[in-house]
Amino acid sequence: MDRKGREPMKKQKRQKTFMAVMAGLMAVLMLLPIVANIFVK
C-alpha cells in the first residue's frame, strides 16, 4: 500500500498507458465493421 504512495509518477504513467490502450481498442472496434466490409466485398 505504502509503495503506491511513494511512486505516484509510476502509477500516473500506468494510468496514461491504460487510457491509450483503451482508446486504441475503441478505435479498433469502430473500424472493425468498415474493414470487414472491405474484406467481404
Side-chain angles (χ1 to χ4, degrees), residues 22-34:
M22 287 299 283
L25 280 171
M26 288 285 281
V28 169
L29 283 171
M30 286 173 108
L31 288 169
L32 206 62
I34 299 160

Side-chain angles (χ1 to χ4, degrees):
M1 276 293 230
D2 102 301
R3 221 167 121 212
K4 256 186 205 172
R6 248 185 287 174
E7 299 174 355
M9 291 290 286
K10 203 172 190 182
K11 193 188 174 194
Q12 211 164 8
K13 193 179 181 186
R14 194 187 295 150
Q15 208 169 5
K16 215 175 193 178
T17 307
F18 180 72
M19 286 291 281
V21 170
M22 287 299 283
L25 280 171
M26 288 285 281
V28 169
L29 283 171
M30 286 173 108
L31 288 169
L32 206 62
I34 299 160
V35 175
N37 270 340
I38 293 163
F39 275 109
V40 166
K41 287 175 187 175

